[in-house]
Amino acid sequence: MNIIALSPVYGRPAEYYQDKLRYLHPYLPSFVNIQYRPLPCGFPSIESEYHAASNSAALLEQVEKASKEKNVDGIFIDCFDDPAVTAAREISPLPVCGPYNASIKTASLISSDIGVITTDDYGISCERRKALAHGYSHFIRDIKPIGSRVLDLSTIDMAERISGLAQEFEKEAIYTVILGCTGMYLQAEEAQQKLTAAGSPVQIIEPLRTGMLSLIMLISGNYTTAMPYATV
């Protein structure tokens, strides 16, 4: 199974994507091969509707290219905002998946009360807007910021902040918490270990892994996300 993982941003070093592949490797079936592709231009992170809209044209060009290649089974768009995922499904016959919907739906299988850890204060507004647009507001009880922009996530102690915020959610009887950025994968496992060691029942939903495994499920089940009657 061959998956093209499209990074909807520009300018990240090759090591950034190699680290993601190393993180994903233990969770993937042996028959899955993932190739990351960044954009040739655009913003280095997506932290607003403006960033997403600006980068989407280049992203969709990459979707079209990947869709025409031989031996490609699915496309993953690596951003918790699911930028251009619907548009990508209009133009691609391959299954296309992003981490946002996959993570919310996975979390909803675990609990009817969900928390989201976003990046900064503006991220709260963005998450509320997405929840309303997708009809998830009844699941998402609270949203808390980790206090960092996307490009600065690697400079903070994410495990400590994630586990601390998760314990705040626990006080609200919210026991399923989604990380609101695929860049938070770096210390997600350490954060879960901290919570488990503290006796906390909170489960962390990491969107990079959750989204990728959801795409693998779609491909394995021979499902398609294509919109055959879309006018493009």
Side-chain angles (χ1 to χ4, degrees), residues 165-218:
L165 291 171
Q167 288 173 323
E168 291 181 22
F169 281 119
E170 184 180 349
K171 293 175 183 177
E172 302 171 45
I174 298 172
Y175 305 113
T176 303
V177 176
I178 302 171
L179 304 183
C181 176
T182 56
M184 293 182 188
Y185 81 94
L186 283 166
Q187 296 179 36
E189 291 176 321
E190 184 180 347
Q192 184 67 74
Q193 290 167 2
K194 283 178 176 287
L195 290 167
T196 302
S200 171
V202 173
Q203 296 185 79
I204 299 294
I205 305 294
E206 192 286 296
L208 173 59
R209 170 166 50 109
T210 303
M212 190 65 73
L213 291 176
S214 297
L215 177 58
I216 292 169
M217 181 274 293
L218 290 174

Side-chain angles (χ1 to χ4, degrees), residues 123-145:
I124 298 174
S125 297
C126 294
E127 292 304 323
R128 286 175 177 162
R129 184 168 59 245
K130 283 192 297 184
L132 284 169
H134 289 275
Y136 295 144
S137 294
H138 60 296
F139 283 126
I140 300 174
R141 284 251 321 271
D142 197 5
I143 304 162
K144 299 181 187 296

Side-chain angles (χ1 to χ4, degrees), residues 51-73:
H51 290 162
S54 296
N55 284 19
S56 286
L59 175 59
L60 290 170
E61 287 181 5
Q62 294 294 314
V63 170
E64 284 191 298
K65 179 181 177 182
S67 297
K68 294 174 182 177
E69 295 179 21
K70 294 181 180 179
N71 301 320
V72 176
D73 300 297

Side-chain angles (χ1 to χ4, degrees), residues 5 46 49 63 79 83 89 100 102-103 137 148-149 158 170 177 191 197 206 208-209 228 230 232:
I46 291 181
E49 289 293 324
V63 170
C79 176
R89 291 173 171 177
Y100 178 72
S103 296
S137 294
S148 173
R149 300 191 67 180
M158 276 192 290
E170 184 180 349
V177 176
E206 192 286 296
L208 173 59
R209 170 166 50 109
V232 293

Side-chain angles (χ1 to χ4, degrees), residues 31-177:
F31 55 82
V32 174
N33 176 64
I34 299 171
Q35 181 185 69
Y36 260 97
R37 295 181 183 175
L39 295 189
C41 59
F43 287 99
S45 65
I46 291 181
E47 304 188 61
S48 65
E49 289 293 324
Y50 175 63
H51 290 162
S54 296
N55 284 19
S56 286
L59 175 59
L60 290 170
E61 287 181 5
Q62 294 294 314
V63 170
E64 284 191 298
K65 179 181 177 182
S67 297
K68 294 174 182 177
E69 295 179 21
K70 294 181 180 179
N71 301 320
V72 176
D73 300 297
I75 297 171
F76 181 70
I77 295 179
D78 183 3
C79 176
F80 193 68
D81 281 343
D82 279 7
V85 166
T86 300
R89 291 173 171 177
E90 290 178 338
I91 62 175
S92 176
L94 302 174
V96 178
C97 189
Y100 178 72
N101 273 289
S103 296
I104 299 290
K105 289 171 180 174
T106 298
S108 71
L109 295 174
I110 299 171
S111 174
S112 59
D113 297 304
I114 297 168
V116 176
I117 295 177
T118 189
T119 49
D120 53 18
D121 287 342
Y122 185 61
I124 298 174
S125 297
C126 294
E127 292 304 323
R128 286 175 177 162
R129 184 168 59 245
K130 283 192 297 184
L132 284 169
H134 289 275
Y136 295 144
S137 294
H138 60 296
F139 283 126
I140 300 174
R141 284 251 321 271
D142 197 5
I143 304 162
K144 299 181 187 296
I146 199 170
S148 173
R149 300 191 67 180
V150 173
L151 294 178
D152 298 325
L153 285 172
S154 62
T155 67
I156 66 172
D157 188 345
M158 276 192 290
E160 185 65 27
R161 295 196 192 184
I162 290 169
S163 60
L165 291 171
Q167 288 173 323
E168 291 181 22
F169 281 119
E170 184 180 349
K171 293 175 183 177
E172 302 171 45
I174 298 172
Y175 305 113
T176 303
V177 176

Side-chain angles (χ1 to χ4, degrees), residues 1-20:
M1 183 185 295
N2 296 310
I3 293 172
I4 300 297
L6 296 177
S7 178
V9 297
Y10 167 73
R12 299 293 186 91
E15 293 78 12
Y16 173 78
Y17 301 108
Q18 292 168 1
D19 286 343
K20 289 197 169 193

